[in-house]
Amino acid sequence: MNEKLDAILKNGLEEIEKCTDLKALDEVRVRFLGKQGELTAILRNMKEIPPEERKNVGMKANTIREKLENALSEKTNKMEEEKLLADMAKEKIDITMPSKGVKKGALHPLTRFNNKFMDICVEMGFTVIQGPEIDTDYYNFEALNVPKNHPARDMQDSLYITDNILMRTQTSNMQVHAMETIKPPFKIVCPGRVYRNDDDSSHSPIFNQFEALVVDENIGLKDLMKMIDTILKRLFGEDVKMRVRPSYFPFTEPSIEIDATCQICKGKGCSLCKGSGFSEVFGAGVVNPKVLEMSGIDSKKYSGFAFGPGIDRSVMITNRIPNIKYLFRNDIRFLKQMR
Ligand code: PHE
């Protein structure tokens, strides 16, 4: 029995040594140490060994088992390490290869315009706030002096969710939220999406506005005009001209419409500005005292002014985009041209 055990050990170690891959190594393990293996068979049949030999044979068999196991795991480790090194050598990076080129992303033209406008406002001391795109009739209309059945509601085709809740038609809802929550004096600006039931090449059911609102003591139309003049100069350059037309919004009194030098023809007159040299940029006005009072601001002490540009049209004009839908389609061919 002793010789048989010695032979198993010698044989096993030789076989292990001969292995050249992990699969062969596993086969050796099964052959010697597996359930049907030679060593296992001896240990299983201990009963047949004379009692006086049994202890020694058992001990020797177990030692051999341990030796074979150690040899197997040593060889496995060695082979795994070799394989890893070989794989790594294969994966060597050839730094002399030409690069594939990194594709550069860019900000969406609406985001760019938005950022530019926000930067100007922040430098002028405005705080940027955001608020609900789904709001109640009260914030979108009622508290802005547009009661139910007021004809001014026809100016904005609204998308209602329930009788009382709608997609905001204007960022002016933020005027009310601001006046209710911030103590005057304050200057806020709110960029955001607005929604109207409107759909053609220059109107989309979703579009973007800003709302700027200043509430302070003794401020009025001339402060509003000065501020808009400053913003337009920062936005379009020092030589931009501004034109003011009377307008109507229920929440401002007086209400005005601001035009600026057409940025396509620089005032010479073109098809986009219909020969006038000016294009419409935004609605504005002095906050109606009734609106201040409805939101709990003392209109004897405080006054305010507001302006609310739509940005999609400006972006369309300056980038010569023929259809507003291009701004929302996420078509990479279009966006690449806007870089
Ligand atoms: N909310 C108005 C609109 O959507 C624009 C506006 C804002 C006018 C602020 C006056 C003051 O047409």
Side-chain angles (χ1 to χ4, degrees):
M1 184 53 74
N2 252 329
E3 296 85 69
K4 199 171 169 190
L5 283 171
D6 286 337
I8 290 175
L9 177 62
K10 187 167 169 276
N11 227 340
L13 292 175
E14 272 168 22
E15 292 290 321
I16 292 169
E17 196 49 47
K18 264 192 254 161
C19 286
T20 53
D21 61 47
L22 288 164
K23 196 170 158 267
L25 208 57
D26 198 52
E27 277 163 17
V28 174
R29 191 186 57 76
V30 171
R31 224 177 87 203
F32 288 88
L33 302 174
K35 276 199 189 114
Q36 320 290 337
E38 292 174 38
L39 198 63
T40 319
I42 293 176
L43 285 164
R44 197 180 289 137
N45 298 324
M46 288 299 265
K47 278 196 252 66
E48 285 154 29
I49 294 165
E52 62 278 13
E53 273 181 49
R54 220 174 266 169
K55 194 177 164 210
N56 280 340
V57 170
M59 267 164 56
K60 187 161 181 157
N62 276 324
T63 317
I64 289 173
R65 177 183 195 92
E66 236 168 70
K67 280 188 179 153
L68 287 176
E69 268 167 0
N70 288 344
L72 275 165
S73 72
E74 224 170 79
K75 180 90 177 181
T76 308
N77 288 344
K78 202 176 138 207
M79 270 161 54
E80 274 172 352
E81 204 180 304
E82 276 165 6
K83 186 173 172 322
L84 186 69
L85 288 173
D87 285 352
M88 273 160 63
K90 250 187 272 163
E91 276 172 27
K92 222 189 264 169
I93 294 168
D94 181 357
I95 56 166
T96 64
M97 291 254 291
S99 94
K100 281 184 190 154
V102 179
K103 286 206 181 83
K104 250 208 211 151
L107 291 176
H108 192 280
L110 282 172
T111 310
R112 266 193 332 248
F113 192 83
N114 189 52
N115 290 353
K116 193 168 168 186
F117 214 112
M118 286 304 115
D119 284 350
I120 295 171
C121 290
V122 168
E123 278 173 26
M124 294 175 98
F126 281 83
T127 303
V128 181
I129 63 165
Q130 288 202 308
E133 289 176 23
I134 299 174
D135 215 344
T136 60
D137 189 274
Y138 177 80
Y139 287 97
N140 195 81
F141 286 132
E142 205 104 4
L144 289 164
N145 195 30
V146 192
K148 292 221 159 56
N149 306 319
H150 191 286
R153 291 204 180 199
D154 291 345
M155 288 157 68
Q156 303 182 358
D157 269 327
S158 318
L159 294 160
Y160 276 86
I161 291 168
T162 69
D163 280 349
N164 190 35
I165 297 173
L166 71 158
M167 307 301 289
R168 68 173 172 201
T169 59
Q170 48 186 346
T171 43
S172 302
N173 69 329
M174 292 310 296
Q175 289 194 26
V176 183
H177 286 290
M179 288 188 288
E180 279 185 357
T181 47
I182 311 170
K183 254 187 75 182
F186 64 78
K187 275 168 154 176
I188 56 105
V189 63
C190 169
R193 274 188 290 261
V194 299
Y195 303 83
R196 289 183 202 177
N197 188 11
D198 230 348
D199 202 354
D200 59 40
S201 66
S202 55
H203 295 89
S204 152
I206 305 177
F207 59 105
N208 297 274
Q209 286 188 337
F210 303 124
E211 195 75 11
L213 171 67
V214 181
V215 176
D216 206 337
E217 289 175 41
N218 303 316
I219 54 167
L221 193 61
K222 69 174 192 320
D223 305 288
L224 168 66
M225 307 257 258
K226 179 73 198 127
M227 184 175 275
I228 290 174
D229 183 57
T230 309
I231 290 176
L232 291 177
K233 286 194 168 122
R234 298 288 305 279
L235 213 50
F236 300 126
E238 278 300 313
D239 46 5
V240 71
K241 284 197 177 59
M242 158 175 153
R243 192 169 76 172
V244 180
R245 289 178 288 121
S247 184
Y248 174 72
F249 302 103
F251 40 93
T252 47
E253 181 58 39
S255 301
I256 53 175
E257 202 78 54
I258 310 283
D259 300 339
T261 309
C262 173
Q263 291 305 299
I264 293 300
C265 61
K266 300 285 174 204
K268 286 193 202 75
C270 65
S271 60
L272 268 162
C273 62
K274 302 194 180 79
S276 71
F278 281 95
S279 60
E280 181 187 321
V281 279
F282 43 79
V286 175
V287 180
N288 190 327
K290 214 170 142 188
V291 169
L292 293 173
E293 291 291 341
M294 270 193 278
S295 291
I297 291 178
D298 180 1
S299 66
K300 289 199 185 65
K301 185 167 183 212
Y302 292 106
S303 51
F305 58 76
F307 49 97
I311 71 167
D312 311 75
R313 226 185 109 68
S314 295
V315 170
M316 278 172 74
I317 291 174
T318 45
N319 294 289
R320 294 169 193 265
I321 298 166
N323 190 319
I324 189 170
K325 305 295 182 323
Y326 286 123
L327 292 173
F328 305 107
R329 267 191 202 140
N330 286 337
D331 184 331
I332 200 82
R333 291 167 303 179
F334 161 76
L335 293 171
K336 267 186 185 159
Q337 295 173 46
M338 292 294 115
R339 275 207 288 250

